[in-house]
Amino acid sequence: MKSILLPLTIMSALAMPTMANANDSVDKISIKNAHQLRDTALKAHLGFDIVESLTVEVGPRLAGTTADLVAVAWAEDKFKALGFDKIYKQPVEVRHWERGFAKASVVSPYPQPLAITALGDSVATPKGGLRGELVFFDSVDELRHSDPKDVKGKIVYIDARMHRHLEGKEYGTTVAGRSIGSSVASEKGAIGLMIRSVGTDSSRMPHTGNMNYQEGVKKIPAGAISTSDAMMLMAMKKRGKAITINMELETKAYKPKTSYNVIGEITGSKYPDEYILIGAHLDSWDEGTGALDDGAGVGIVMAAAHAIKQFNPKRTIRVVLFANEEGGLIGAKEYRKANAKELHKIKLAGESDFGARNIWRFDSQVHPDNLDVMAHINKVLKPLSINSGNNKAGGGPDVSILPEKGVPVFSLRQNGTDYFDYHHTPNDTLDKVNPTELAQNVAAWAVVAYIAAQADEKLLALPKKKTK
Amino acid sequence: MKSILLPLTIMSALAMPTMANANDSVDKISIKNAHQLRDTALKAHLGFDIVESLTVEVGPRLAGTTADLVAVAWAEDKFKALGFDKIYKQPVEVRHWERGFAKASVVSPYPQPLAITALGDSVATPKGGLRGELVFFDSVDELRHSDPKDVKGKIVYIDARMHRHLEGKEYGTTVAGRSIGSSVASEKGAIGLMIRSVGTDSSRMPHTGNMNYQEGVKKIPAGAISTSDAMMLMAMKKRGKAITINMELETKAYKPKTSYNVIGEITGSKYPDEYILIGAHLDSWDEGTGALDDGAGVGIVMAAAHAIKQFNPKRTIRVVLFANEEGGLIGAKEYRKANAKELHKIKLAGESDFGARNIWRFDSQVHPDNLDVMAHINKVLKPLSINSGNNKAGGGPDVSILPEKGVPVFSLRQNGTDYFDYHHTPNDTLDKVNPTELAQNVAAWAVVAYIAAQADEKLLALPKKKTK
């Protein structure tokens, strides 16, 4: 697997003309160290070893399950083994839902099995399954505008398609069928929901993921079939006969459990009370081993902080492994709440949570007065084939809720071309992680966090957004 | 998906210097027709439509199951709809074995699930599963040479790896663990067998396939884990602790059933009693829809014969859809037996059973006096980027047992680079069939069968092999 080079036209479209020049906000020795840090990290194997350790010794770690707490213990042990200065955890109340088996089949006109998985938080079907005629929609919007009498008593099928994209751009639009489809279908009188998996693969792996029942609607069972089954089903529909399916989803909801954000720090030598936060989420879906989502992120940020330790950073590097991202940023919300009075001490934050492929662009969202520091970072990232981007970074799912509190963030954007082939499937496993590409990630994260830690100018909170 | 062009070095290595020149054994009008037949078939969609019809309207069709008989009825109907002159079927007694669910997990030292499937014909495990410590081998040979006291009471794990290859070359050697591993393990006192899937993918799809218990050995349950799980397991082994697993395979053997070879003919206008046999197998494994194995073959040979019909062939084109190839050429053996006295009437035979990718080489195994006819075929195939090969063709699984009875055979060799990614997995589905590549196959099969049907020279039986 080789890195993907972007065509020049895209590269120039992304260049940020307003980016400030690098000045002496970062001392020359630190810049020299950053080069060395980058080149050493690029050759190291630690990032991959951490992902291997997590996926082999813990495996799937759905929030609320026993394995989730095994992962918490694993994280504390790993921070210790890597010599972090301060290790602690923060309790988070998480949902506890588990899946049993899932099966489905076309009952008529052409009986055959379908590969299906329950969506996260779906209620179970009756034992023996839920049987019903399918009613077809291309999107949740089309369903929303449908006549309830066409839907009542049937199983809604949504065939929203997602196409391959470097930045995974269609995820946000396609995912609506998964996240709110069951509520919209239920309001129209449907007895169940089945969707085409939100994924870019052409395979027999259904993609699970989070969904929410809106308050007041009857909870109906919801599952996703694989993209291969979706193609088969649409070819069957073309044949013009009504299609009846049976789907049996075994799921169980338990009482909420306590999980933890696990935090490890490399204490700063000059500004110990100022933090550069680099994060990932520790939880995963239950069917794969969470190697890409988000074992890779865990490996990247732990290994990056470990590499920085050798260079004795001025600010504190804080690695946060968030609990239960998949449940809807549950650990991140708790982190923000618990640290409400200290958020101004976080001088820059970012989360790695988009797989393990090469990074191709660096974006920031910082105070304009600090763009000179970003310019230093850009220069050191360039040999990694990472372009400078814009100052509108989101920062990654779990830190995306920090900028509204003034916390500056950054994004190291990964090639996501095949991320949604494996996302939330049993196929999210270690063999999808390329050690060379992962090392490029570790090098980039180390560079960003280290240079931000070394800047001798004040790192400012984001300016308040003007309200209209 | 584009066709793969072979490097020139390979192409010239394959060229057959001894190939005879084309002469007037085939008349000019027939050769002109062959060009037209080829070019029309290349633009047609019928081959793909047939695969779609079989996989959508029948789906999986394991020999002995109800779906197998649905496939037989489908084949008869399809031959009728395509206007074949003569349609009949031939009873075949087949094994009837079915799978239920399959699950496995590492119990210690690091509990996590494994994606597993039962091998075909495996006995079931006890309810709740079979628990045992794993003992690791790289191959069935290594197992054979092991000390029984290292194996006794344990579950044997064989980690034989198969690499990607244009011709699927490592299948024959790697498959031993699957086909006879359980017997060898049982003889050493093992309580179960688990193998790394015989496949070239890096995915979470276990590959099933046929196995045989040798007479007299205790039948022990046998399953295959996915290549992703195999990588995880080997990484776990590296950690140095004994590994205990639990595997639960639900399977059931029933009484033998009657299935059928289904045959359709386009009657020859000049030599109706001489046959060009083109075949595929109708049965499939149960977890995919058998699109590549062997729906594609079915689509290719049916569509090729249908295309030839418009050109009124001199010899009869006989399409044979064999029963239960997956059980060990069961339908083919019955075909040979039932037609024992008529085999000399088959002037050339071939089976398509290696997926749906482009053909890159034509091989034959014919009487040397008929190589001139093969030379005509080679000339017409050349624009399809098909090279001339050797005169040592096997002919394809089901016809491979005919040359020993004197029947000449041919092989149109497909690019098998990704065939073993999907082979015998749930992932063998229609989305893996590229209609353009399939049409190239149909065109090639039509050319071979048509030119062989038109040759005005005698097509001779293979010379008897000299016995030492």
Side-chain angles (χ1 to χ4, degrees), chain B residues 297-310:
Chain B
V298 170
I300 290 163
V301 296
M302 278 183 144
H306 178 262
I308 292 170
K309 187 175 160 69
Q310 332 304 320

Side-chain angles (χ1 to χ4, degrees), chain B residues 277-281 294 297-298 301 318-322 349-353 395 398-399 410 445:
Chain B
L277 186 161
I278 55 178
H281 66 85
D294 184 25
V298 170
V301 296
R318 176 182 283 178
V319 174
V320 182
L321 304 182
F322 292 98
E351 183 183 33
S352 172
D353 182 23
D398 286 309
V399 307
F410 69 95
W445 280 80

